[in-house]
Amino acid sequence: MALLYSDPIFLKHETGGLPENPARIVPAVRRATQVALHAHCRQRSFSEVSDARLERVHSDHYVKYVRNFCEQGGGFISPDTTVCPASWEVARMAAGAACDAVEQVLKGHSDRAFCLIRPPGHHASREQAMGFCLFNNVAIAARLAIDEFGLERVMIIDWDVHHGDGTQEIFWEDGQVGFLSVHRSSFCVKSGFADETGSGAGLGTTVNLPLEYGISREDYLSQFTTAAERLAEKIRPQLILISAGFDAHKDDPVGSLGLESEDFARLTRVVLDLADVHAEQRVVSLLEGGYNPQALAECIEHHLLELVSN
């Protein structure tokens, strides 16, 4: 049994003309709901994240700043991130879905879950909104697994076409969280280079795999598989979280690394195989990027069907 998290509230986060907007997920929600009806997938209700869980990752000052900014009418909270009055609640619901998914999986109620949520999170750092992201959903989920369930080792796999710079910053010195980001190399401006591997207790637990535009699909999959297997062998994760961005798709208007929709089923299978070996099959996936609505819907269908497969 896999769990699907989605809710109409995610359409209330209005972002104006930015690529990350409510319309991008509408076809995906329809497609995922159809998959849930016909496959072994259950939709689950959930609630907002608590302040305590938010503040394991973000400072109290930043959390209050986001709330006040939204309540005062919104606008550009960073040069590339905009919010509306509803965004405070919506962002808390997105993080709440991630937390509930981890809880359900770690309590043994399901092996796998997919959170069709927005706003995305992997660019959000401890003190800053960035890249359409307000709160770092995957980081909040990882900290919950460690702090509330006593896990010693968690692995985050980020295949969004952009570097998960916020997630990297948060876990840079954390030896309990392994982080793999595979992304387009030309998007590496300030971070995401292969020589960035963490420091202190986290030295060697960060792996960046920047790939050149024009790479073949088979080379992409091969390099991804090798990097994921090596880090999993090092970390031996008890839970795997996916920052599932689908903007490496060939038709994505923001990213693109030439992938087809079905390639995301293959990436998913790599992760599931690693979870079978190391993590008692436990995988929680969270939506990040993907800005072609029809391509995103197709990618999510392939991803979800693989998650619910045996």
Side-chain angles (χ1 to χ4, degrees):
M1 175 69 72
L3 299 175
L4 171 64
Y5 290 78
S6 67
D7 193 280
I9 195 171
F10 296 126
L11 302 179
K12 294 183 178 181
H13 172 53
E14 296 286 351
T15 58
L18 293 179
E20 202 298 294
N21 58 61
R24 82 177 181 105
I25 68 165
V26 172
V29 170
R30 295 194 188 111
R31 193 77 63 92
T33 302
Q34 292 171 353
V35 171
L37 286 173
H38 298 289
H40 297 290
C41 189
R42 179 165 57 89
Q43 292 186 271
R44 180 172 166 79
S45 60
F46 53 97
S47 57
E48 293 181 16
V49 69
S50 67
D51 287 345
R53 288 175 171 177
L54 266 183
E55 291 167 13
R56 290 195 185 110
V57 168
H58 299 287
S59 71
D60 171 72
H61 170 78
Y62 174 68
V63 172
K64 290 178 179 177
Y65 172 70
V66 174
R67 179 175 186 169
N68 291 337
F69 195 92
C70 293
E71 289 179 346
Q72 291 169 11
F76 278 91
I77 196 168
S78 76
D80 56 6
T81 308
T82 188
V83 297
C84 68
S87 299
W88 164 251
E89 180 186 5
V90 180
R92 289 176 67 98
M93 284 292 284
C99 289
D100 191 81
V102 168
E103 284 189 86
Q104 293 302 307
V105 167
L106 294 182
K107 287 177 178 177
H109 300 318
S110 179
D111 291 330
R112 303 163 186 169
F114 175 61
C115 301
L116 208 173
I117 57 179
R118 59 182 292 272
H122 72 150
H123 293 305
S125 66
R126 177 172 170 78
E127 298 278 359
Q128 185 177 0
M130 186 166 55
F132 313 146
C133 303
L134 294 180
F135 299 131
N136 197 306
N137 304 312
V138 76
I140 293 165
R143 285 256 57 95
L144 182 151
I146 293 167
D147 294 348
E148 295 186 30
F149 286 87
L151 266 60
E152 297 178 350
R153 301 174 305 280
V154 174
M155 183 171 172
I156 299 171
I157 296 177
D158 186 333
W159 66 49
D160 190 280
V161 79
H162 303 93
H163 180 234
D165 46 358
T167 309
Q168 173 173 292
E169 176 195 295
I170 290 164
F171 295 115
W172 185 251
E173 297 182 344
D174 193 325
Q176 292 183 284
V177 179
F179 176 60
L180 168 63
S181 178
V182 52
H183 45 269
R184 183 169 159 177
S185 60
S186 58
F187 292 162
C188 297
V189 178
K190 297 181 179 179
S191 66
F193 300 98
D195 60 357
E196 297 170 11
T197 59
S199 65
L203 183 62
T205 61
T206 291
V207 175
N208 283 296
L209 183 62
L211 299 176
E212 293 289 340
Y213 180 75
I215 187 173
S216 73
R217 295 159 61 199
E218 292 305 319
D219 283 348
Y220 180 110
L221 184 67
S222 175
Q223 292 192 45
F224 170 82
T225 302
T226 298
E229 288 176 345
R230 286 177 177 170
L231 185 58
E233 187 62 32
K234 179 183 180 69
I235 298 295
R236 295 177 294 111
Q238 297 161 293
L239 170 71
I240 300 179
L241 304 174
I242 306 174
S243 274
F246 298 95
D247 39 7
H249 190 279
K250 65 180 181 63
D251 294 330
D252 193 272
V254 174
S256 177
L257 261 175
L259 297 187
E260 300 281 355
S261 301
E262 58 267 26
D263 291 327
F264 290 97
R266 301 168 72 190
L267 296 179
T268 307
R269 175 46 51 190
V270 171
V271 178
L272 296 181
D273 288 346
L274 294 176
D276 288 347
V277 174
H278 299 284
E280 300 179 31
Q281 302 182 335
R282 300 185 294 202
V283 174
V284 174
S285 176
L286 315 176
L287 178 64
E288 299 284 1
Y291 306 102
N292 178 319
Q294 295 304 320
L296 179 61
E298 291 177 6
C299 292
I300 286 178
E301 179 177 14
H302 284 285
H303 180 53
L304 190 54
L305 284 171
E306 199 65 34
L307 284 174
V308 302
S309 72
N310 292 324

